Amino acid sequence: MSEEKKEKRKASSIDPCAVDLLKYAEECSIQTAFSRSDSLKPCPIGAEGACCKICAMGPCRLKSKDGEDALKGVCGASLATVTARNIARMVAGGTAAHSDHARDVANTLLAAAEEHTKDYQIKDVEKLLAVASNFGIDTSGKTKNEVAKEVAEFVLKDFGQQKGEVSFIRTATKKRQDLWREHKLVPRGVDREVCELMHRTTMGVDTDPEDILDAALRTSLADGWSGSRIGTDFSDILFGTPKPIKSEDSLGAFQKKHVNIVVHGHEPTLSEMIVVASEMPELIDYAKSKGAEGINLVGMCCTSNEILLRHGIKSAGGFLNQELGILTGAVEAMVVDVQCIMPAIADVVKGFHTKLVTTSPKGRIPGAEHIEFDELHALDVAKKIVRLACDNFPNRKDTRIPDYGKTMIAGFSHEYIKYMQGGRFRGSFRPLNDAIISGRIRGLAGIVGCNNPRVDQDSLHDYLVRELIANDVLVVQTGCGAHASAKSGLLRPETMELAGPGLREVCEAIGIPPVLHMGSCVDNSRILTVLTAVAQEGGLGDDISDIPVVGIAPEWMSEKALAIAFYAVASGLYVIFGVESPIAASPTVQKIMSEGWEKKVGGKLEFIPGKEEMLAATLAHIDKKREALKLRKYEKGKFGVEKVLMSMADRRKLEEAAHAHKGVGGV
Amino acid sequence: MSRHIAAAAIRGSHKIAAEAAEALNMAIAAKGDDYRFEFPDTAFYLPHIFGMTGMKVETLGQMKDALDYAKGMLSAEPAQEEYLPYLGETLDAGQATLFAEEILLASRYVLGLEPVVEKIDGSDFTYNGFISDTILRDLGIQLVDGSMPGFAVIIGKAPTDEIAVEICRDLQQRNILTFLCGNVDGDSVTKQLLRKGVDLGWDARLVALGPETYHALYAGDWACRGALTFGGKKGGDALSVLKYNKDRIFAFAMVLGPMNDLIWSTGAGAITYGFPAICDTEVPEIRPTGVCTYEHVVSQTDHKKLVDTCIETRGLKITITKVPVPVAYGPAFEGERIRKEDTVFEFGGQKTTSFEWVTTKELSEIEDGRIEVIASAETLAKIESAAPGNTVRLPMGLVIDVAGRKMNPDFEPVIERKLHDYVNCAQGVWHMGQRDVNWMRISQQAFGDGFRIKHLGDIVYVMVKNKFPAIVDKVQVKLYLDDDKVKEMQEQARAVYKARNERVASLTDETVDTFYSCLLCQSFAPNHVCVISPERLGLCGAYNWLDARAAYEIDPTGPNQPVAKGECTDPVKGRWKGVDGYVFQTSHQTLEGFSAYSIMDAPMTSCGCFECIVALVPEANGFMIVNRGYTGMTPIGMKFSTLAGTVGGGVQAPGFGGIGKYFITSRKFLSADGGLKRVVWMPKSLKEALREDLIRRSEEEGVPGFIDMICDETIAEDSEKMLEFLSEKGHPALTMESIL
Ligand code: SF4
Ligand code: SF4
Ligand code: SF4
């Protein structure tokens, strides 16, 4: 995009609900992230990663027309050092966020196992046992709580561990583990890596860009193969492993005659309890006593994904919808915990009856009511919040609930993806691998990450999803990317009509949409699990880096997205990010993160602003991987495998055996 | 569209589960919860349910639990639109259907409704019903090893009787074993074949299981046990059992006529085994691969292409050796009998002089492919007179001259022994015996189809050339039909037979330095090794030392490898350094080696296809032997099938082992443990089959009359009675040194 065009651009959305509400905001002169992004341009130096402000000799702005090496910081730091340090610190931030979330879930599991709370129980014993077996925990003769306690304690060590390897590393492919060990990329402990990365990147420590970035990769692995993984697996154990469920995603999810409560943020611990509370007859009666017909719980952001996948709770969309939801005038309470919560909502609620409730001891917002959540009294807190929302119902004034709604099928945990390809006895990844090998499916893409008002809301997600499925690429989604597709109806099986002919056949055989909703942002760990299973299934190389797959976060904004990108790359993926490049200033850093990493770990991270270019790079990478695997060249509509018809001689070769028992010369 | 299939299969599963529940309730009402049931002759409970879950269902009450398990796999039909995924659920519904069908059939057995007996064209026809373990062991191996390259389950009815016959003949010619079940409005392929006078049965490889779709489960039960017996898979390890079938059992379903919910549902169950369905109607296809090796559901409306489509969909390549004779040729015709009245030509059988003889010649002495009928004018005239109703009996000297750079006279008997199979495979031709006690018949039907005496030569020529390619470069066949000439040649042959007998007798474990291994069975018992010595043949009975040596010549990199004995470390138990080293390596380090002559100390392992099982009877201080095919009880309280379950899988089980039948009369038979004198019990039929050799051997052992000291089932089936008998007879084992 040229500078000039950027000037004229007015932040908008392709979501008709959002467009309606943005119009209303404009009429009432209510500021939103959209309008603020129009008026507040990003600082051009910081945006490219060229500004260092980690000490008071600076900030040093190292951008020069004369190239990368023209300027040095007061301390002598090069642009490459500064850029690498900046992005590394973002990775530390993202890793900290996911992992701290996971810590809470793990502590909740421990509390449940030790029966310190009645509000949480082990819901998914099968998953508990599966996780336990990862760690070689002997489960025979133990109660589920005993096993859960051991598992929780085993994994809680990951956070404070000083030496060794974090727990889930051992679930990667053998080849990947060896590679990580070879390059010293295995995280020792979550907190240690984050802490060390902050130390390395403070004034006057590590100034070798490659070394800094290696440390960032190691830190990110503590996210992908520990923090996020714990977040996913332990939530499954506590609240159930998702399987497909039908629901809706739209700002039209609010109901005119019900008490509408929005849970927004990330952690499932509180939202799960609010689900329980909102379904309690006593509270429904309470809502009725306030003149409402019932209670309508709606999710937003990743908290939404958590309760959507497990309970089918409707969603009002992702990150950029948080202010817009309040504008409907129909929200009695917006309950938030941590991450991606715009402080702006405290201002927006001022014009409406909506109560903003903060709940996390880690996240307070001036102007909000704070009802602190703790897992030992979870249900009581949840009930209190629901009651507060009901109490607020009589204060409701005009509402403007948009009238566009789309259904979706969500809930593709990796366990279900395996199941859906063969049922309980034959579940495997063989059909998926076969489909890729035969060219029915050209490759895989994970389209994940945030919304960012710097681009029209959902526009890049939507473009890429549609184009990729039309090109026979099976798409998986999480986070706000999944919200984007849900809102435009792409998560329905009928979407297979838009898919290429090969992908469509596969969708039809299994009964799935060509776009699979796998959950929240921490659930990107599910994608790693799926890809590991694909690599282990055989026929597509022996590591994630061999698979024709690309990860894309076209509308990213959060530090968490960068942490995800780093661990995905370290796990062998090619990752493409859209919007702005935080490393645009330094060709050296760009080179390390693309060519350098591709050599080192088989994955790379590139920032590509244009959507057509993102698409082209994705398809080119998929085809490159196909070629490396010597798979048939992808041609739309032409697929199938050369059948190997097994003659006796072939079978003999296959199993070193011939016509046994017939004797020599047998008929 | 697949959703349609899913909906039908899921509906079908609900219906059959309800039907099973109803039948089970009736059975329980009649017999009570604690009534014990097992299918006839199986050690695997309800085999499919056992294979999938490890549940040992032995009573009607336990069937309720199994049915509850099945109900747990039922789900709701997918919605018309915005539906949830259905493939996994459909396959589970298919599995639930197989569970329900098994319980339904078991209940029907209890109620006396199985196997089904139906009046067909005026006479009672009894369907096969459940397939016993014995048949499984007799035939199953051929499925696993590929000599019976696949099996078809035909459900329904062909559009015409002629098409039904064509399809089944086509399958027979390709050596495929075909099961028949299901019906369309009461008519079925079974009935169509019967109307057309086609022989059904195991020998013909056309087996009618029952008249309903659910009878297909019997075939599934068989496949499941294939994995449990030959594959050494454990009950409850569903994934292994099913994958074993996908990889090694080349089965498919052929659905003739309209589909219904139960067919779809049963088909979904079959798919979990990796068995695809090929339908002769327009149906929605499922072409992406992965649960099966290739497509899952295929439609082929052209009946001429149907068998080909099936075979291709299952990923089978079948090469049949084309034998240039005017009758059908293949193992499906091997077992047929020809009655005296239907015979046009007859040779041997003690009625005329006859023999068959493979003899080695110089390459230059043979004109490859020459088939010569040597007969006087008189004999020829007699042949001319042959016609239905007029059986012509002739002498026959079948002489096969072979030559080849690697030919060795030791291979002559190896080839000769195969003549029986080769000749028998022609439809309408029957063969029995060997050497100078052979006996052949050619039927009216074959004669009518144009089969002549010369064709016997064609068969032998083509088969010998094809099956012994590395040994035999040239073959010519002479058929002598005049009595004087036959007698003359027979003398020559007899001299050779005698020399061969002497050669075999002189072949002892001590006189050779090389044994041969056989690793054929590693395809299903991955750590099992047979080491074949002159005095101990393979436990399947199909390979002796000469066979193995010939097999090695034919395929030097094949599964029969020379094993240098090396230094003998224990001449009594039969241990050699070379053998132990080889066993260690080829058992993938699971066995340190084994003793050739002992069953008590590190015995040879068993794969699953032994002819006989030897088992310790401690109270008698000896062993009993039971052969496959004997289905009665034995003195140790276990039938063959149960015993077999404890012996196979390639592990050493001191005191138990599988052996080839002829090992019993070898001088090395358990010689370290006391030898033949330890044998206290064996089925009568086995005793009779080995009678002469047993007598000879007991004389050598210094116990003449020993054969009458061996107990059998006509004397005792339990240990107590047996002991009484043994002491009455003064059986030597009772006074021998204690075996333990
Ligand atoms: S660390 Fe160096 S580059 Fe950064 S602000 Fe301080 S002086 Fe400037
Ligand atoms: S995708 Fe981005 S914006 Fe959305 S919840 Fe995750 S981190 Fe926040
Ligand atoms: S000799 Fe042994 S390994 Fe070979 S076919 Fe017979 S039983 Fe199997």
Side-chain angles (χ1 to χ4, degrees):
Chain A
M1 254 181 261
S2 71
E3 289 296 316
E4 199 188 358
K5 255 200 196 147
K6 261 189 197 166
E7 281 318 310
K8 282 201 211 110
R9 179 177 178 275
K10 195 160 158 223
S12 184
S13 175
I14 65 161
D15 171 359
C17 300
V19 171
D20 278 5
L21 289 162
L22 281 172
K23 207 180 290 158
Y24 171 76
E26 200 175 349
E27 281 160 22
C28 309
S29 307
I30 299 170
Q31 293 283 308
T32 63
F34 292 84
S35 61
R36 284 187 300 271
S37 79
D38 288 338
S39 51
L40 184 69
K41 293 291 140 202
C43 161
I45 297 157
E48 295 189 1
C51 166
C52 182
K53 52 174 196 50
I54 59 169
C55 90
M57 297 189 282
C60 302
R61 309 194 304 172
L62 301 189
K63 203 170 163 186
S64 156
K65 284 195 190 61
D66 304 328
E68 198 179 356
D69 298 325
L71 287 174
K72 293 265 158 97
V74 174
C75 65
S78 71
L79 176 55
T81 301
V82 166
T83 308
R85 269 195 316 223
N86 284 339
I87 196 167
R89 289 192 151 213
M90 292 179 87
V91 170
T95 300
H98 285 146
S99 305
D100 212 35
H101 160 165
R103 191 196 318 267
D104 285 351
V105 181
N107 280 319
T108 306
L109 180 66
L110 186 60
E114 292 179 332
E115 294 174 45
H116 293 317
T117 164
K118 277 206 211 54
D119 300 342
Y120 298 102
Q121 277 99 29
I122 311 307
K123 235 190 193 165
D124 195 335
V125 178
E126 207 179 311
K127 176 111 188 195
L128 171 66
L129 295 178
V131 173
S133 82
N134 282 330
F135 308 135
I137 292 175
D138 176 17
T139 56
S140 55
K142 291 181 188 156
T143 66
K144 64 179 182 182
N145 281 352
E146 285 165 355
V147 177
K149 182 170 188 289
E150 270 189 62
V151 168
E153 281 170 348
F154 189 95
V155 165
L156 269 164
K157 287 202 312 274
D158 276 14
F159 293 100
Q161 187 169 283
Q162 302 304 317
K163 277 193 264 183
E165 300 185 347
V166 295
S167 310
F168 283 97
I169 289 295
R170 69 190 76 189
T171 61
T173 62
K174 174 81 182 50
K175 204 168 161 187
R176 186 73 13 203
Q177 294 181 41
D178 291 346
L179 188 79
W180 287 335
R181 288 185 190 116
E182 180 193 334
H183 293 289
K184 297 201 166 41
L185 294 179
V186 180
R188 296 153 292 189
V190 177
D191 296 347
R192 173 165 185 181
E193 297 306 341
V194 174
C195 179
E196 184 185 298
L197 189 56
M198 294 308 285
H199 174 195
R200 269 174 193 272
T201 53
T202 194
M203 195 270 147
V205 186
D206 198 356
T207 49
D208 174 347
E210 190 175 343
D211 200 42
I212 293 168
L213 292 168
D214 275 357
L217 285 176
R218 183 167 60 239
T219 305
S220 74
L221 286 172
D223 179 351
W225 293 86
S226 185
S228 283
R229 183 70 181 274
I230 296 169
T232 297
D233 283 359
F234 283 25
S235 298
D236 286 352
I237 292 170
L238 277 170
F239 309 124
T241 302
K243 51 182 194 288
I245 194 162
K246 189 167 156 179
S247 189
E248 269 175 56
D249 198 333
S250 156
L251 278 165
F254 303 116
Q255 276 176 301
K256 235 186 148 87
K257 298 193 171 142
H258 284 64
V259 173
N260 291 309
I261 305 174
V262 178
V263 280
H264 165 32
H266 280 78
E267 295 187 0
T269 35
L270 168 67
S271 53
E272 280 283 333
M273 283 304 119
I274 297 189
V275 173
V276 173
S278 69
E279 288 166 354
M280 293 173 89
E282 60 169 284
L283 288 174
I284 295 173
D285 287 345
Y286 189 69
K288 287 182 180 158
S289 76
K290 300 289 170 180
E293 285 183 1
I295 302 170
N296 181 41
L297 184 65
V298 175
M300 199 167 260
C301 253
C302 277
T303 275
S304 169
N305 289 327
E306 302 275 353
I307 54 179
L308 159 74
L309 262 69
R310 297 197 178 92
H311 305 283
I313 303 291
K314 284 181 288 183
S315 173
F319 171 68
L320 274 186
N321 275 7
Q322 52 189 297
E323 295 159 300
L324 306 183
I326 298 165
L327 298 185
T328 61
V331 177
E332 273 58 55
M334 180 173 273
V335 188
V336 302
D337 54 11
V338 290
Q339 300 171 23
C340 301
I341 294 147
M342 290 196 218
I345 49 179
D347 291 328
V348 181
V349 291
K350 282 181 191 150
F352 298 85
H353 78 299
T354 307
K355 293 246 191 237
L356 176 63
V357 182
T358 53
T359 58
S360 167
K362 296 168 204 161
R364 293 202 186 213
I365 300 176
E369 184 154 344
H370 188 72
I371 304 182
E372 194 157 304
F373 172 75
D374 82 89
E375 62 260 23
L376 301 187
H377 307 93
L379 190 57
D380 289 341
V381 176
K383 277 156 83 174
K384 188 166 167 197
I385 292 170
V386 171
R387 228 174 264 276
L388 170 136
C390 295
D391 289 337
N392 195 22
F393 183 75
N395 302 327
R396 192 193 279 185
K397 298 183 194 76
D398 289 351
T399 59
R400 54 211 70 74
I401 304 172
D403 195 15
Y404 315 93
K406 292 285 192 212
T407 46
M408 67 169 139
I409 306 296
F412 292 88
S413 57
H414 99 267
E415 286 84 352
Y416 186 81
I417 293 179
K418 179 176 171 200
Y419 169 83
M420 77 186 188
Q421 301 183 70
R424 77 165 67 186
F425 295 131
R426 283 291 312 282
S428 76
F429 283 83
R430 191 74 253 153
L432 175 60
N433 284 22
D434 271 12
I436 295 172
I437 291 165
S438 67
R440 279 192 171 83
I441 291 180
R442 183 175 186 170
L444 308 172
I447 305 183
V448 304
C450 326
N451 284 131
N452 184 328
R454 302 285 172 201
V455 298
D456 286 352
Q457 184 191 15
D458 301 340
S459 61
L460 300 182
H461 284 293
D462 196 71
Y463 170 82
L464 288 168
V465 168
R466 285 174 197 273
E467 286 296 326
L468 286 171
I469 62 174
N471 277 287
D472 289 308
V473 175
L474 176 66
V475 174
V476 299
Q477 295 206 276
T478 58
C480 292
H483 284 297
S485 292
K487 286 186 294 176
S488 53
L490 289 168
L491 300 185
R492 298 171 311 130
E494 283 74 8
T495 304
M496 67 175 77
E497 308 285 336
L498 308 177
L503 175 59
R504 188 187 157 147
E505 261 195 18
V506 174
C507 292
E508 208 173 303
I510 306 177
I512 48 168
V515 190
L516 305 180
H517 188 333
M518 292 185 68
S520 62
C521 291
V522 291
D523 290 337
N524 283 315
S525 69
R526 296 191 201 275
I527 300 181
L528 294 180
T529 311
V530 164
L531 292 174
T532 302
V534 166
Q536 283 163 345
E537 181 68 45
L540 294 174
D542 48 17
D543 197 3
I544 293 180
S545 52
D546 298 328
I547 302 170
V549 58
V550 178
I552 318 173
E555 303 180 24
W556 77 283
M557 63 87 196
S558 168
E559 287 182 333
K560 293 181 290 174
L562 277 176
I564 294 167
F566 272 54
Y567 75 62
V569 170
S571 305
L573 269 91
Y574 174 32
V575 177
I576 298 173
F577 266 42
V579 205
E580 300 284 346
S581 165
I583 54 166
S586 170
T588 305
V589 169
Q590 287 165 34
K591 201 166 161 204
I592 295 171
M593 287 172 53
S594 57
E595 287 157 48
W597 280 359
E598 192 161 33
K599 260 193 225 113
K600 186 178 284 177
V601 290
K604 58 182 172 174
L605 174 58
E606 287 176 349
F607 292 85
I608 302 177
K611 58 182 182 182
E612 285 88 0
E613 290 79 2
M614 277 191 244
L615 174 67
T618 302
L619 294 176
H621 182 78
I622 284 174
D623 290 344
K624 176 174 113 182
K625 291 292 175 187
R626 291 188 68 88
E627 205 184 318
L629 286 168
K630 301 199 169 55
L631 302 183
R632 65 182 291 148
K633 197 168 167 355
Y634 167 79
E635 267 181 284
K636 199 181 249 184
K638 287 197 188 148
F639 38 76
V641 275
E642 284 278 309
K643 273 191 194 163
V644 186
L645 300 185
M646 304 292 284
S647 69
M648 295 300 59
D650 300 329
R651 280 196 231 171
R652 215 169 298 150
K653 262 179 241 144
L654 196 72
E655 40 202 40
E656 324 166 21
H659 29 60
H661 312 287
K662 276 291 190 157
V664 216
V667 182
Chain B
M1 217 217 22
S2 307
R3 196 198 61 80
H4 170 85
I5 299 179
I10 291 172
R11 272 196 308 273
S13 63
H14 283 277
K15 273 186 263 177
I16 192 81
E19 251 180 80
E22 201 180 313
L24 180 57
N25 285 337
M26 280 168 66
I28 291 174
K31 309 275 184 181
D33 265 341
D34 297 333
Y35 182 79
R36 295 179 76 82
F37 170 79
E38 59 183 30
F39 281 117
D41 183 24
T42 183
F44 297 97
Y45 315 96
L46 303 189
H48 174 77
I49 292 172
F50 176 66
M52 296 303 103
T53 64
M55 288 166 100
K56 297 176 177 173
V57 178
E58 289 170 308
T59 65
L60 293 177
Q62 289 166 342
M63 283 187 207
K64 281 197 284 194
D65 301 338
L67 193 57
D68 283 343
Y69 186 102
K71 285 181 182 156
M73 292 190 281
L74 299 177
S75 53
E77 255 182 76
Q80 296 279 348
E81 49 189 43
E82 295 180 343
Y83 40 78
L84 299 177
Y86 42 65
L87 181 64
E89 290 75 5
T90 302
L91 297 174
D92 279 5
Q95 274 286 341
T97 294
L98 301 184
F99 277 56
E101 288 175 339
E102 195 163 48
I103 290 165
L104 172 65
L105 288 164
S107 306
R108 286 175 54 88
Y109 258 104
V110 172
L111 296 168
L113 301 171
E114 290 286 323
V116 175
V117 181
E118 203 181 357
K119 255 218 174 9
I120 297 178
D121 298 327
S123 48
D124 277 347
F125 177 82
T126 307
Y127 289 90
N128 186 86
F130 183 80
I131 303 166
S132 68
D133 281 7
T134 304
I135 294 184
L136 165 75
R137 286 187 191 274
D138 280 353
L139 281 179
I141 303 152
Q142 303 176 43
L143 272 183
V144 183
D145 70 31
S147 55
M148 189 180 267
F151 80 91
V153 178
I154 300 186
I155 301 176
K157 153 187 182 278
T160 66
D161 295 0
E162 287 70 26
I163 292 178
V165 174
E166 259 169 54
I167 290 172
C168 291
R169 283 278 182 248
D170 199 353
L171 290 166
Q172 276 181 318
Q173 298 245 21
R174 301 186 208 217
N175 302 347
I176 287 173
L177 173 61
T178 304
F179 295 115
L180 308 170
C181 61
N183 70 82
V184 177
D185 300 327
D187 201 5
S188 66
V189 171
T190 304
K191 294 180 184 173
Q192 291 180 308
L193 296 181
L194 290 174
R195 277 201 290 274
K196 283 287 182 185
V198 174
D199 282 340
L200 302 184
W202 288 101
D203 287 340
R205 298 192 173 193
L206 291 172
V207 180
L209 297 173
E212 300 296 334
T213 298
Y214 53 69
H215 286 112
L217 188 269
Y218 289 140
D221 261 355
W222 192 33
C224 181
R225 277 175 290 159
L228 298 173
T229 48
F230 307 121
K233 305 296 177 213
K234 294 278 162 284
D237 187 0
L239 179 63
S240 302
V241 169
L242 297 171
K243 283 263 304 204
Y244 179 89
N245 275 275
K246 177 196 176 198
D247 294 341
R248 291 163 202 263
I249 308 268
F250 284 69
F252 54 85
M254 185 196 286
V255 186
L256 304 177
M259 299 298 292
N260 60 41
D261 290 352
L262 185 58
I263 300 180
W264 279 125
S265 199
T266 307
I271 286 173
T272 63
Y273 272 89
F275 305 158
I278 296 84
C279 314
D280 75 339
T281 49
E282 297 277 2
V283 296
E285 299 191 319
I286 305 181
R287 302 196 73 90
T289 63
V291 184
C292 295
T293 310
Y294 298 114
E295 297 83 352
H296 298 92
V297 178
V298 171
S299 163
Q300 174 56 271
T301 52
D302 182 347
H303 290 93
K304 293 239 171 320
K305 296 188 191 145
L306 196 53
V307 173
D308 274 332
T309 304
C310 289
I311 284 174
E312 224 175 86
T313 305
R314 189 61 185 92
L316 257 168
K317 185 154 81 191
I318 299 175
T319 29
I320 359 180
T321 316
K322 276 268 172 230
V323 180
V325 290
V327 294
Y329 190 89
F333 309 104
E334 212 179 324
E336 81 193 312
R337 304 268 167 269
I338 297 169
R339 292 180 307 165
K340 209 155 104 191
E341 314 82 84
D342 298 333
T343 303
V344 172
F345 293 111
E346 183 166 22
F347 314 95
Q350 316 300 328
K351 296 181 185 112
T352 61
T353 322
S354 85
F355 70 97
E356 55 200 35
W357 178 32
V358 173
T359 177
T360 312
K361 290 261 158 34
E362 289 302 318
L363 278 166
S364 58
E365 289 175 283
I366 293 187
E367 182 186 325
D368 187 42
R370 177 168 174 162
I371 317 290
E372 233 181 317
V373 177
I374 300 159
S376 63
E378 197 187 327
T379 305
L380 287 176
K382 212 170 163 195
I383 292 172
E384 280 304 306
S385 77
N390 175 29
T391 307
V392 174
R393 292 204 174 79
L394 291 170
M396 158 76 81
L398 177 57
V399 179
I400 297 106
D401 296 335
V402 297
R405 274 174 307 268
K406 285 166 79 182
M407 186 61 199
N408 176 320
D410 270 353
F411 301 153
E412 289 171 2
V414 173
I415 300 175
E416 204 175 279
R417 218 151 38 95
K418 284 287 145 190
L419 298 177
H420 168 76
D421 288 352
Y422 297 163
V423 171
N424 242 342
C425 281
Q427 192 178 20
V429 183
W430 174 84
H431 180 282
M432 215 182 102
Q434 52 162 333
R435 291 188 172 176
D436 53 356
V437 291
N438 66 343
W439 186 6
M440 280 185 271
R441 279 176 173 169
I442 295 171
S443 77
Q444 271 176 27
Q445 176 75 42
F447 184 74
D449 289 340
F451 192 94
R452 296 297 177 264
I453 295 174
K454 173 183 175 288
H455 288 127
L456 293 172
D458 290 324
I459 293 171
V460 170
Y461 169 73
V462 169
M463 294 306 287
V464 171
K465 277 284 289 239
N466 264 291
K467 298 293 177 183
F468 295 91
I471 297 180
V472 162
D473 297 326
K474 282 175 157 189
V475 180
Q476 67 186 13
V477 183
K478 295 187 187 124
L479 298 125
Y480 297 95
L481 299 176
D482 297 326
D483 198 47
D484 46 351
K485 190 69 188 164
V486 174
K487 285 211 171 93
E488 177 195 327
M489 296 298 295
Q490 197 191 40
E491 279 318 304
Q492 287 184 36
R494 279 185 170 155
V496 177
Y497 298 152
K498 186 153 172 278
R500 279 190 203 158
N501 286 349
E502 282 156 11
R503 162 93 173 121
V504 170
S506 75
L507 269 180
T508 63
D509 290 0
E510 290 78 21
T511 54
V512 300
D513 342 304
T514 307
F515 295 164
Y516 287 88
S517 68
C518 185
L519 300 175
L520 279 171
C521 284
Q522 291 209 341
S523 57
F524 46 93
N527 299 326
H528 169 74
V529 191
C530 274
V531 172
I532 301 172
S533 68
E535 291 179 275
R536 181 166 185 171
L537 79 171
L539 57 86
C540 58
Y543 284 83
N544 63 28
W545 187 80
L546 286 175
D547 292 326
R549 188 152 75 108
Y552 169 64
E553 289 298 333
I554 295 172
D555 182 4
T557 58
N560 297 98
Q561 291 295 318
V563 180
K565 281 188 335 196
E567 183 193 327
C568 180
T569 53
D570 188 336
V572 176
K573 288 189 175 144
R575 293 195 79 138
W576 299 265
K577 275 208 173 131
V579 173
D580 284 350
Y582 181 85
V583 169
F584 182 66
Q585 178 211 333
T586 48
S587 69
H588 310 112
Q589 288 79 47
T590 58
L591 298 174
E592 295 283 337
F594 49 48
S595 319
Y597 312 143
S598 172
I599 198 142
M600 298 306 295
D601 179 32
M604 284 203 196
T605 57
S606 306
C607 45
C609 27
F610 27 76
E611 283 187 304
C612 299
I613 298 173
V614 189
L616 179 68
V617 190
E619 63 271 31
N621 203 29
F623 300 106
M624 58 154 246
I625 304 174
V626 56
N627 56 310
R628 188 165 75 218
Y630 173 75
T631 54
M633 195 36 88
T634 72
I636 61 168
M638 281 193 262
K639 295 180 184 175
F640 180 88
S641 41
T642 317
L643 209 45
T646 65
V647 175
V651 286
Q652 279 174 336
F656 295 89
I659 56 166
K661 184 165 72 186
Y662 290 110
F663 184 46
I664 300 171
T665 52
S666 158
R667 275 188 296 266
K668 294 294 191 320
F669 172 71
L670 310 193
S671 54
D673 310 321
L676 188 62
K677 283 184 287 190
R678 290 273 189 197
V679 176
V680 295
W681 191 94
M682 64 168 79
K684 193 169 173 72
S685 54
L686 182 61
K687 228 187 326 186
E688 288 313 314
L690 297 174
R691 174 166 277 279
E692 274 174 39
D693 289 332
L694 279 174
I695 291 174
R696 175 177 53 77
R697 283 282 303 121
S698 33
E699 279 162 8
E700 281 174 22
E701 295 281 318
V703 206
F706 178 69
I707 188 162
D708 297 321
M709 297 177 188
I710 306 173
C711 189
D712 63 40
E713 77 280 13
T714 63
I715 303 160
E717 280 186 350
D718 63 287
S719 162
E720 214 171 299
K721 274 226 199 92
M722 177 187 70
L723 284 173
E724 260 172 47
F725 171 82
L726 296 177
S727 44
E728 190 182 302
K729 290 280 169 187
H731 192 289
L734 297 178
T735 53
M736 285 167 81
E737 166 192 5
S738 167
I739 196 157
L740 287 174

